[in-house]
Amino acid sequence: MKISIITVAYNAAQTIGAALQSVANQRHPNIEHIVIDGASKDATLEIIREHADRVNTLVSEPDKGIYDAMNKGLARATGDVIAFLNSDDRYASADAISSVVDTFERHHVDAVLGDVAFFDPKSPERIIRRYRSDRFTPARLAYGWMPAHPGLFVRRAEYVRTGRFATDYRIAGDYEMIIRLFSRPELRYRHLPEILVHMQTGGASTAGIKAKLQLNREVLRACRENGIDTNMLKILSKYPAKLLEYLSRYILSSDAQKSR
């Protein structure tokens, strides 16, 4: 099974090396890595070229935003399955892709949902929160729930059926895409209870209150444009459960320290 991994980058010199290396480290033998750079003005392109032997496709040109860049990646992907790895994220282990492939082959599904661990860029080894994708079901789209996007692997045929990312979203274009993918009752998916990706905090969707407000407004719009009955109160109701993810991590860390 061939896996296409798409990495979108812009001025990511501080982080993209680790992202590229985490793909190069994968033990699965059939990976296509596509990097779409938005004509970065820092050393991003130089770093990508240092990994040229493991990057199958490189595009460096101005784009109209992250979802336009993702569409460029989709158009070039030739794998059986497609995933997106952000330029400031990295795969959690060298066996992450192998575990995903094994799940596809054993369960004959259209999508695999893995977990993502958030880390503080100042302390990369310290996990702040585990984003559990098993909390997601299509019925929860109306409540703002989605599987962790960097841990989502979808057959390319499903993207062909669903179409491109909507480029008039700034933050929630991935959410809008997930609505279209998972609103089809025939789509088969399975949760893989492993942390597949370590995701850095501070990205577009996690960068403070202002970003959260815009995100939730776009989530509301995505639901309404795709015929999902919801309101802002429903969407905001997901935050207590997300707070529990932080608290559970804190409790586990405290217990581990006490047991030493």
Side-chain angles (χ1 to χ4, degrees), residues 99-100 102-115 133-134 136 147 151-153 182 187-194 196:
S99 295
V100 170
D102 180 65
T103 303
F104 271 106
E105 292 179 342
R106 284 192 298 114
H107 299 285
H108 307 289
V109 292
D110 303 309
V112 171
L113 288 56
D115 294 352
S133 290
D134 63 338
F136 168 79
L152 176 64
F153 293 74
F182 285 88
L187 186 132
R188 300 161 299 168
Y189 68 92
R190 188 172 184 89
H191 174 245
L192 175 59
E194 296 179 16
L196 299 179

Side-chain angles (χ1 to χ4, degrees), residues 71-87:
N71 284 333
K72 292 179 182 181
L74 280 178
R76 290 164 172 81
T78 63
D80 303 292
V81 169
I82 295 175
F84 290 88
L85 183 73
N86 300 323
S87 59

